[in-house]
Amino acid sequence: MTPDDPLSQLRDIHLPIAGGFWPPAPGWWILGVLLLIAVAALIWAVIRRHRRNRWLRLAKAELAILERSAVKEPQWFTELNALLKRVARARYPNENPEAQTGEQWAECLIRHLPEGRIAHRPVVDALINSAWQPEPTAEPAQAMEFARIWLDAQKC
């Protein structure tokens, strides 16, 4: 060490030992807890929605069974109407759909269709009337298409 070179008198810089990844900083703990809460809430919401729409899945399964046995007979249209009334009772219990008949029932079905589907009114009238007429006027294919569209609109 010479007095002429003051830089030679300085000691080397000693950096602290770099910390590892464990234990994480408090902010990471908070982020981890919030992430766990968010995932749990998402799982809970999906399970709740799945349970809430169970009746709709069962109705669609019953509709598939009805579709396989589609015939142009009053009994078949009665069964389809009964299925739609059970769904309406599950989805809209305050409207008392099981007690509605004729025009009231048709209005209830049309009211709960997606927007822009008013063209189904003749199919709905034929579907309702075919349940009690000796010679049904509705076609099973049209009635099934309407029922499928109507059921798809009933999700919770």
Side-chain angles (χ1 to χ4, degrees), residues 90-113:
R91 182 70 172 100
Y92 309 104
N94 295 335
E95 293 184 18
N96 200 17
E98 63 272 7
Q100 296 177 358
T101 58
E103 187 66 29
Q104 291 176 326
W105 177 230
E107 287 297 324
C108 180
L109 288 172
I110 294 294
R111 185 172 49 249
H112 298 297
L113 272 174

Side-chain angles (χ1 to χ4, degrees), residues 63 66-67 70-73 76-77 80-81 84 109-110 113 117 119-128 130 136-151:
L63 186 66
L66 274 175
E67 186 173 18
V71 290
K72 195 171 181 177
E73 293 180 3
W76 186 84
F77 287 102
L80 182 59
N81 262 318
L84 294 177
L109 288 172
I110 294 294
L113 272 174
R117 295 290 187 157
H120 285 290
R121 182 58 190 235
V123 175
V124 172
D125 289 337
L127 166 69
I128 293 170
S130 293
T137 57
E139 290 296 323
Q142 289 178 332
M144 287 302 299
E145 178 187 352
F146 168 78
R148 205 173 296 111
I149 290 170
W150 192 82
L151 282 176

Side-chain angles (χ1 to χ4, degrees), residues 10 35 68 109 146:
L10 295 176
L35 185 62
R68 285 188 290 251
L109 288 172
F146 168 78

